[in-house]
Every structure is written in C-alpha cells, then in structure tokens.
Amino acid sequence: MHRNKKARIVGSFNAQDGTQLGVSVPVILFEDEGLHFMMCPPLDITGYGDTPEEAEASYKIMMDEFLDYTLKKKTLIKELTRLGWKVKKNNLKKPVQPPTITEVAKHNQEVNRIINEINYQKVTRQVAIPA
C-alpha cells in the first residue's frame, strides 16, 4: 500500500489475468486511552498498538487478512456493497467507490464518536484489490 495524499478515490484496472483495481481510501490516525489506532472506516478495518508504527503494522495485517478472506470466499463485492461502497461493474474508470468517512459515521457510532470527540489525522492510502 502506498500513500497518496492528493486523491481520495482513484481507480484503474490492469487487463485480464492479474487484474487489479487500485483504490485510494481515507484512513484516520488517532490516539485513545493510551493506544494508537489506524482505522479505515470505509472497510471497517482498524489496527492498533503502543506506537503509531505498531498501529500501522497491525492495520496492514488486518487489511491483508480482510482481502485474503473475502477473495478466498468470493465475497469481496458483497462485503464492499454491505459496507456502503458503490459498485459499478460496467464502469472501468471508477468501478468501485468507497463511502466517505462522514457517510460511514452516519451508520457507525464508533466512527461518529472518533470524528466528533477525538483529535485525529486523516490520510489517504492505496489499496490494491484484485478484480
């Protein structure tokens, strides 16, 4: 995963075998009760640790596990849809679009609490999703 600070959403396909979709998702970094957190609200994935580096390492493991599990079970698109993503199979320029943090906060009390009560930093991270 690579940091991309300019765009919130970026989509691109690699053709046929090895097809992948690169999507930039918002990620929030915050500290709560002495622990550091790295959370991707559009994917409902959170990593944590005693330091920001540990939180990022935990986040990467959780992201890998999420993608590995949903791909093996062939439930990735179903899960993205459940999480509020817009999935357009016929749109090669933007086939998937994550919900904004604000949209997620409307349905997720913990995300709502974080963005309204805790100091946080928002960054953008690239996620490579096999298509």
Side-chain angles (χ1 to χ4, degrees):
M1 287 173 261
H2 302 284
R3 190 177 282 194
N4 178 346
K5 291 188 177 185
K6 289 185 177 181
R8 193 180 72 75
I9 301 168
V10 175
S12 62
F13 274 104
N14 297 329
Q16 296 174 19
D17 53 89
T19 300
Q20 289 204 343
L21 170 65
V23 180
S24 293
V25 292
V27 173
I28 55 177
L29 313 170
F30 62 97
E31 187 176 348
D32 191 20
E33 297 185 15
L35 287 174
H36 294 267
F37 293 87
M38 182 174 219
M39 173 189 277
C40 179
L43 290 172
D44 197 20
I45 293 173
T46 303
Y48 66 93
D50 291 328
T51 65
E53 294 78 18
E54 286 180 9
E56 184 167 8
S58 174
Y59 168 83
K60 287 178 181 179
I61 291 168
M62 296 302 294
M63 180 66 73
D64 289 344
E65 290 296 321
F66 170 81
L67 291 172
D68 184 56
Y69 182 82
T70 57
L71 290 170
K72 283 181 180 172
K73 294 291 186 179
K74 299 182 179 174
T75 58
L76 179 61
I77 297 301
K78 183 178 179 180
E79 188 64 11
L80 292 178
T81 302
R82 184 189 72 78
L83 291 167
W85 288 57
K86 294 179 180 116
V87 178
K88 300 174 186 171
K89 293 179 183 178
N90 297 327
N91 185 343
L92 293 180
K93 290 188 180 188
K94 283 190 178 179
V96 295
Q97 181 176 352
T100 65
I101 292 174
T102 306
E103 290 168 336
V104 173
K106 290 178 187 175
H107 307 286
N108 184 318
Q109 291 180 345
E110 184 62 12
V111 173
N112 190 325
R113 180 186 77 82
I114 292 164
I115 65 172
N116 287 305
E117 298 176 15
I118 297 177
N119 289 328
Y120 69 92
Q121 176 188 5
K122 180 182 163 214
V123 297
T124 303
R125 292 292 167 97
Q126 188 79 8
V127 177
I129 300 175

